[in-house]
Amino acid sequence: MSEHAPTASGLPDGAETCLSFTVSGPWGHFRRIEGNIVKQTYRVIPRTTVAGLIAAMLGIERDGYYDLFAPGESLVAIEPTSELRTMKLPMNTLSTADEHMASLNPRGKLSIKLPDPSKPRQQHNYEVLVEPAYRIDVWLADDERYDRLRSLLESGESYYVPSLGLSEHLATIDYHGEFPVEHGPDGETVAIDSTVPEAVDSIVPDPETRYQIEQTPAFMERDDGGRTTSAFVSYAYNPDGGSLRVADVSTYSVDDRAVVFT
């Protein structure tokens, strides 16, 4: 799929409006790719997870949506709207390795494999987000999928049940509407409501405002093993759910909010 050429505004051709919704839930877990004994979570929902969430709402199969969210084919802005706090929870899990799977109805025409409940449980400590909420602004170059997503958001429907990372962390979707994407606001410094990608040197320090930096997966591609991360992005964000003041960053106005897209 070819990328849409950027216009004078810096946005891909056709990116005049976006859909805006908030995803929230009691719990969330976005597994960090570097593994250790404690299964840690990203604080900011990764762009790739937003893509997977929207693909699930649209009913697109796993590994079938990477082109839809490729660079130049999509825009996503992410705004944490709650304090990003975590806690650690011990969880008992069953292995899903092939040697630990058991078949239901193995002699029938339809056979389903599930983790063998007779095998020993494994206990892991999961770091989970407590009551996370993120406002998402999204544009898709694929008009048919964009219109379908708008219809689903308007009706409060979803093909698959939305979740915040893990399937057991069910999510609520609140639709805010479709809004114009306008360049600005302009100024020497601007208060940004969304996360700010690749802008650690642009942050204007404020003794009353905390900020943190986090590198997360941004884009994925299909490969022989299923999928691979093709690009990462480093976000600056306010862990208390407020804005950040930055300088020399290209910003856009959506619903009277200043955001930065990736």
Side-chain angles (χ1 to χ4, degrees), residues 173-246:
I173 304 292
D174 296 302
Y175 182 48
H176 303 294
E178 183 177 23
F179 300 99
V181 178
E182 301 172 330
H183 188 73
D186 296 316
E188 201 168 305
T189 66
V190 177
I192 306 296
D193 296 290
S194 71
T195 57
V196 188
E198 310 299 347
V200 62
D201 295 329
S202 301
I203 296 172
V204 179
D206 180 346
E208 302 298 322
T209 303
R210 294 196 301 150
Y211 74 87
Q212 295 176 354
I213 306 294
E214 186 171 67
Q215 186 182 65
T216 65
F219 300 99
M220 303 191 79
E221 295 177 349
R222 187 192 295 268
D223 63 10
D224 293 339
R227 59 182 178 180
T228 186
T229 301
S230 58
F232 290 83
V233 61
S234 292
Y235 285 119
Y237 66 97
N238 184 333
D240 300 315
S243 61
L244 285 179
R245 187 160 288 279
V246 300

Side-chain angles (χ1 to χ4, degrees), residues 11 15-18 77 135 137 179-186 190-194 250-261:
L11 296 173
E16 299 175 352
T17 62
C18 68
R135 183 160 175 176
D137 303 300
F179 300 99
V181 178
E182 301 172 330
H183 188 73
D186 296 316
V190 177
I192 306 296
D193 296 290
S194 71
S250 182
T251 62
Y252 298 91
S253 178
V254 175
D255 190 26
D256 295 323
R257 299 156 42 249
V259 303
V260 181
F261 288 102

